[in-house]
Amino acid sequence: MLASQGRHAERPQGRSTGVRVLGPADLPAALEVLAGDPVTNVFVEYRSRLTQLDPRWLGGQMWGYLVDGKLQALCHVGANMVPVAGTPESCAAFAARALRHRRVSSTIVGPREAVELLWSDLAEEWGAPREARWDQPHLEIATASEVTADALVRRTTPEEIDTLYPACVAMYEEEVGVSPELDGGRNLYRARVAQLVNRGWSFSRIEDGKVVFKAEVACATPTACQIQGVWVDPERRGEGLCTRGMAAVVDVALREIAPNVALYVNAHNIAARTAYERVGFRQSGTFSTIMF
């Protein structure tokens, strides 16, 4: 992690600054901030548009950092704490507000510099995380892949949720290190899987009643969508299923969902990074994720 900056951030001289909870009336200003990097900010923009910044639907809060009354930065605070347009000043202010309340987020995720700034102020009080993934290349693609798409990858149907669900659990356990069904989470996780299927955001290749490749669109805006949950059956890895499967998902996503497709991946996952590069993804930044 980089040297701490957030702890020592100073208030802009002679300017009024502060953090407050945003609401529906703040949506136009929030969208203006998000438009500064709409592909990187796709998750927070999706949540903002979906909920209209109403805390009842957010399942948390959207904090805004204001300078002389103008919104400069955002922080989504729910199951995920996600900074947007983070600077040393805004991240220090968000961290100070977070420290006045109990921690509600199970992850801090976003552009690496902003996550580092937040964590420099939160680490002492929030304690050791379960895992910190500092190097996660953020990848983007805006043109159809030159790889031949897997013709057997298609949208998962509602009738196939029972077949898809075990693969989703396996992916989650492999990626996150714990089961999504822990502490009674099965119903909530299954509902999320069903939601993505019903939206037409789940893609899979199913052979003989078994998922061999899958991926989901996690969120989408008019500008971009973000892919998550990419998984290949361990017994079928090395066959190129990920490369051809992702080419199929990208082609459909660009044609029917959004003009840019993004994802982020752990730097140490060389197999996945190689597949994404072959598909045509290129790195646009670096994310970090801290998990509790």
Side-chain angles (χ1 to χ4, degrees), residues 31-75:
L31 292 177
E32 184 177 344
V33 173
L34 290 159
D37 192 346
V39 182
T40 298
N41 299 330
V42 59
F43 168 77
V44 177
E45 182 176 343
Y46 167 72
R47 294 286 294 155
S48 298
R49 290 180 181 275
L50 182 68
T51 66
Q52 299 290 289
L53 297 183
D54 188 326
R56 293 174 300 174
W57 308 117
L58 264 171
Q61 296 179 337
M62 191 75 74
W63 297 348
Y65 175 74
L66 296 92
V67 177
D68 293 339
K70 181 174 176 57
L71 191 62
Q72 301 284 350
L74 309 171
C75 191

Side-chain angles (χ1 to χ4, degrees), residues 261-283:
V261 178
L263 58 82
Y264 57 97
V265 59
N266 293 317
H268 60 77
N269 191 344
I270 302 301
R273 293 179 63 186
T274 299
Y276 300 150
E277 184 175 356
R278 287 173 178 162
V279 171
F281 282 92
R282 296 295 179 261
Q283 185 169 355

Side-chain angles (χ1 to χ4, degrees), residues 14-15 21 29 31 35 40 86 113 128 133 144 148 161 182 207 232 235:
R15 308 179 76 181
V21 177
L31 292 177
T40 298
E113 183 178 359
R133 300 177 177 179
T148 300
I161 291 175
L182 194 66
E207 298 179 4
V232 174
E235 296 181 0

